[in-house]
Amino acid sequence: MADPFKLRDYQGELITQTRDALREVNSVLLQCPTGGGKTALAAFMAGSAAKRGNRITFGVHRRELIKQTAKTFDKVGIPYGIIANGFTGDRHQLVQIASIETLRRRLDWYPRPHLYIPDEAHHAGAATWAEVIDSYANKGPKGEPSAKIVGLSATPERLDGAGLGRWFQKMVLGPSPAWLIDQGFLSPYRLFAPSMPDLSGLKKNGADFARGALGERMAGASIVGDVVKTYRELAHGRKAMVFCVSIKHSLAVVEQFQRAGYRAAHIDGDSPNRDELIAAFESGKIEVLSSVDLVSEGFDLPAIEVAILLRPTHSLSLFLQQVGRVLRPVYAPGYDLETREGRIAAIAAGPKPYALILDHSANTIDREKGGRGHGLPDDERPWSLEGRERKKRGAGGEDEEAAVTTRQCPQCFRVHRPAPICEGCGFEFPSMGRTVKELEGELQEVERKTAQVERKREQAKAQTLEDLIAIGKARGMKNPHGWARHVHNARNQKTQQRYAR
């Protein structure tokens, strides 16, 4: 691959825009999607500022992210110290990688930085984060000048949708996930929502579900069993990361996968053998790695081929952080990664031609259908320092948002953008309008759901390709032969997969 310190063209443009913004204000939020290279941007900014004799502090909130950032800085030759419990620091280095919690307690131990870069800056509203940012944004106790602040985030808003304008004065927007996928910087994906949990009556803790009750509900035998069954049908043998609600929930999932004959393991922030587990997962010795929040933010593990979502959440940020883990591409060697065509060919030839997302949490499903309504990973989202616009209140007193336009195939459970035919199995959706039928002089409405069931039954009864073609012609399709072949081939493929197991 190319020199890791060589910025991509769009990254260079983001650096230029950020520098221009810092000439006008002291605090800037740099938004860039998960997998867009935020750590590389931070390394470039830190290295450039240090060459001019400036002090830089890069703030993170997890021990794993300290190690990951340190590896990146090592690769590009940036000397650094570490401010965190359990690490030997070096106060003489201009660049410091800091645990934000430790940094808050030691603000007066180190000289104030000229540039402070908090990673995952959507947490800025948390007390610890806000205290550090406010301290550096103001002059020091001895009149030291305020620092320049560049926050990094893929999802620049708080859990409740509130903006971050209290801490940042300008926002620099990066490319969209859809553009990064099209250019080969992220992997294409397929998304299925094979089952939906019943979360009625669950209590909330703030704006999201209360973890205790949610963990008990999601650890039910029927849900976990369905997860293993779906993995076997859609992702057998591919490296999967499971996102769970709690450690207890994660351990239950691991046990079920192991009973089914899969090599599965649990990993969390306190696992003493984290590095060994990750190495085993990358090599294929472990097929399924189950976690809670360890890999939700800033965790770079391109080997993940399948993301299994078992954590229902109202947080758009948490949802995008989780699905972003599986969108990182794995490039096959021998291709020109400097061109879009080379990157796309390298993904297609590698071990992960596409990412697979199994959304058992219904996070992608529209709210009107009982889901969380976050939409697809590469939907366009209008990020703003003011946050999301508040919508009208629903019957339960909660703020409602406009419905996210996703469609789920009732036949193969694939979730996709609205289309008349499922892009996965060829299922033809009934007309969005209602069918009106005349019986004995009276008009009676046939609800869409009823019509949909009838059409599905009719299609299921078709045993041969000719039967399917006849149905396509009867429905007035423009290309009944093509649709019939698509459905027929999909059936044959499923049958072959069953016998192969």
Side-chain angles (χ1 to χ4, degrees):
M1 291 189 63
D3 178 357
F5 203 48
K6 182 179 179 182
L7 293 179
R8 301 166 181 171
D9 289 344
Y10 73 86
Q11 292 174 331
E13 179 60 28
L14 289 176
I15 292 293
T16 299
Q17 293 180 32
T18 301
R19 285 173 172 168
D20 291 343
L22 287 175
R23 293 188 181 98
E24 301 178 14
V25 298
N26 283 336
S27 59
V28 174
L29 184 60
L30 200 170
Q31 183 272 336
C32 189
T34 300
K38 290 186 293 299
T39 305
L41 292 169
F44 187 90
M45 287 187 286
S48 299
K51 288 179 181 178
R52 298 192 297 271
N54 294 313
R55 293 185 298 275
I56 304 92
T57 299
F58 182 72
V60 301
H61 70 303
R62 294 185 188 276
R63 185 181 184 87
E64 289 73 21
L65 301 185
I66 291 177
K67 295 180 179 179
Q68 183 174 304
T69 304
K71 288 180 180 179
T72 300
F73 284 17
D74 286 336
K75 287 181 181 178
V76 299
I78 298 176
Y80 58 86
I82 294 180
I83 304 174
N85 290 333
F87 290 89
T88 301
D90 185 349
R91 299 189 184 191
H92 300 292
Q93 297 296 341
L94 290 173
V95 177
Q96 297 289 331
I97 303 172
S99 159
I100 291 179
E101 181 63 40
T102 304
L103 182 62
R104 180 189 66 83
R105 297 194 300 266
R106 302 179 183 176
L107 283 173
D108 57 347
W109 290 27
Y110 295 83
R112 292 167 62 83
H114 298 94
L115 174 63
Y116 175 51
I117 308 174
D119 195 17
E120 309 297 349
H122 46 277
H123 292 297
T128 300
W129 292 64
E131 183 176 343
V132 176
I133 292 176
D134 290 343
S135 174
Y136 289 152
N138 299 315
K139 289 185 177 181
K142 299 180 180 179
E144 302 96 329
S146 59
K148 294 287 187 179
I149 300 173
V150 178
L152 301 176
S153 178
T155 54
E157 67 179 28
R158 300 173 65 183
L159 171 61
D160 58 1
L164 301 173
R166 154 75 172 75
W167 299 276
F168 300 98
Q169 298 163 287
K170 277 196 170 187
M171 182 187 292
V172 173
L173 291 172
S176 68
W179 185 88
L180 290 172
I181 291 173
D182 181 68
Q183 297 298 314
F185 292 118
L186 293 179
S187 174
Y189 69 91
R190 297 178 184 176
L191 194 153
F192 295 82
S195 60
M196 292 177 60
D198 178 12
L199 303 181
S200 58
L202 277 185
K203 294 182 179 180
K204 282 190 173 184
N205 183 7
D208 210 351
F209 294 111
R211 280 206 185 192
L214 180 61
E216 292 295 329
R217 190 74 61 90
M218 293 302 295
S222 60
I223 294 177
V224 175
D226 191 45
V227 170
V228 177
K229 176 177 177 290
T230 301
Y231 173 81
R232 187 182 295 280
E233 292 178 349
L234 296 177
H236 179 69
R238 300 185 71 185
K239 299 185 184 73
M241 178 66 70
V242 189
F243 296 92
C244 295
V245 179
S246 65
I247 292 178
K248 180 180 178 181
H249 179 206
S250 178
L251 292 173
V253 170
V254 167
E255 181 181 358
Q256 290 294 326
F257 270 103
Q258 290 175 343
R259 285 183 179 178
Y262 291 106
R263 299 183 299 275
H266 165 80
I267 185 172
D268 61 50
D270 295 324
S271 300
N273 58 338
R274 288 190 303 270
D275 294 340
E276 291 82 357
L277 289 173
I278 291 172
F281 180 75
E282 290 181 311
S283 68
K285 294 179 180 179
I286 292 177
E287 298 164 292
V288 179
L289 203 54
S290 184
S291 69
V292 184
D293 285 337
L294 177 65
V295 293
S296 292
E297 293 178 335
F299 191 88
D300 189 7
L301 190 56
I304 302 173
E305 299 174 278
V306 185
I308 301 178
L309 309 185
L310 293 181
R311 167 75 187 279
T313 178
H314 289 299
S315 168
L316 173 62
S317 295
L318 178 57
F319 163 68
L320 291 178
Q321 293 285 350
Q322 290 181 344
V323 297
R325 299 306 111 204
V326 75
L327 296 181
R328 297 178 186 272
V330 178
Y331 295 114
Y335 290 84
D336 180 11
L337 300 183
E338 297 302 313
T339 67
R340 172 182 178 273
E341 293 72 21
R343 290 189 294 270
I344 294 174
I347 293 175
K352 185 169 64 174
Y354 63 88
L356 183 60
I357 302 170
L358 305 180
D359 179 21
H360 291 271
S361 56
N363 285 328
T364 56
I365 304 298
D366 289 356
R367 292 190 179 187
E368 64 179 16
K369 297 179 181 179
R372 255 50 68 196
H374 295 313
L376 300 176
D378 56 340
D379 282 345
E380 293 287 341
R381 293 179 169 87
W383 301 115
S384 167
L385 289 176
E386 286 71 42
R388 279 177 282 164
E389 181 182 354
R390 293 278 186 172
K391 304 298 179 181
K392 65 180 180 179
R393 289 189 176 273
E398 300 175 358
D399 291 324
E400 294 182 344
E401 297 182 44
V404 180
T405 54
T406 58
R407 204 167 201 181
Q408 183 180 27
C409 176
Q411 183 164 282
C412 73
F413 305 108
R414 185 162 181 173
V415 180
H416 54 86
R417 291 185 174 85
I421 296 177
C422 172
E423 58 193 40
C425 69
F427 171 79
E428 182 191 8
F429 290 89
S431 171
M432 293 300 291
R434 292 187 175 185
T435 302
V436 179
K437 186 176 180 181
E438 185 174 354
L439 291 176
E440 297 181 358
E442 294 182 357
L443 293 179
Q444 297 183 358
E445 287 188 330
V446 179
E447 297 290 343
R448 283 183 295 169
K449 186 173 182 181
T450 302
Q452 180 176 316
V453 171
E454 289 301 322
R455 292 167 75 91
K456 186 175 178 181
R457 286 176 179 171
E458 179 187 32
Q459 186 172 316
K461 292 178 181 179
Q463 299 299 315
T464 66
L465 179 62
E466 288 71 23
D467 292 340
L468 289 169
I469 293 173
I471 290 176
K473 289 179 178 180
R475 294 178 181 178
M477 294 184 183
K478 292 183 179 180
N479 184 12
H481 291 80
W483 169 80
R485 283 195 299 271
H486 194 93
V487 174
H488 195 257
N489 291 338
R491 287 182 178 178
N492 289 338
Q493 185 176 4
K494 286 186 177 180
T495 301
Q496 292 171 3
Q497 289 175 347
R498 290 193 189 102
Y499 283 120
R501 293 193 292 270

